[in-house]
Amino acid sequence: MIHGEKIGLRARHEDDIPILHSELYDDVATRSRADSRPWQPISPTSGQSPFVVAGPTDEAACFSVVELDSAELAGEALLWGIDTHNRTAHLGIALRPAFRGRGLATDVLHTLCEYGFAVRGLQRLQLETLTGNTPMLAAATRTGFTREGTLRRSAWTYGHYADTAVLGLLSEEWTPRRPSH
């Protein structure tokens, strides 16, 4: 497990899948704002849930987010589109509704950056979020990300188009919380 201040990032457990699926996937309106793919009805036990992790790959690292104080599953976090040649990746997070608004997102982002920069040796991390996702934009800014641009009307979100903000963070801009081990 990689420890942040309030959260830990650990491997996905089988019993995480129905919880994440129920709270983060089956809320169609919210999921359509968080994923560029169209929502489709998928059973959490079908093996096709987006929260099923088949195993480690070079292209993605999927984590379950655990709140350290309660040891409860708080959500998911991932690095995806890992490009080992250019040493870049995208990152994303999704917190369960009960864990939103508690200051965890900044800690999750910072801990993902630690994994990307210190563990994987990447030189650039990027995230994309809807321009109306004020909490994610604030958490990314607090983590050190710079807004690099806006993709106008790039996301179809439950009946309308929305703009997407693109933010980036370079390894030399990132400030580790504690000395490297």
Side-chain angles (χ1 to χ4, degrees), residues 10 27 42 84 115 132 144 160 174:
R10 64 158 168 78
D27 178 350
I42 299 171
T84 55
Y115 175 76
H160 69 279
W174 177 66

Side-chain angles (χ1 to χ4, degrees), residues 9 63 77-79 91-93 108-116:
L9 300 180
F63 299 96
L78 64 149
L79 286 185
L91 53 83
I93 69 169
V108 173
L109 288 175
H110 200 282
T111 308
L112 269 179
C113 289
E114 179 179 343
Y115 175 76

Side-chain angles (χ1 to χ4, degrees), residues 2 41 49 81 98 102 115 121 130 134 137 139 141 147-148 157:
I2 299 174
S49 171
R102 294 168 50 179
Y115 175 76
L130 300 181
T134 306
L137 291 169
T141 300
R147 188 160 175 173
E148 297 177 334
T157 62

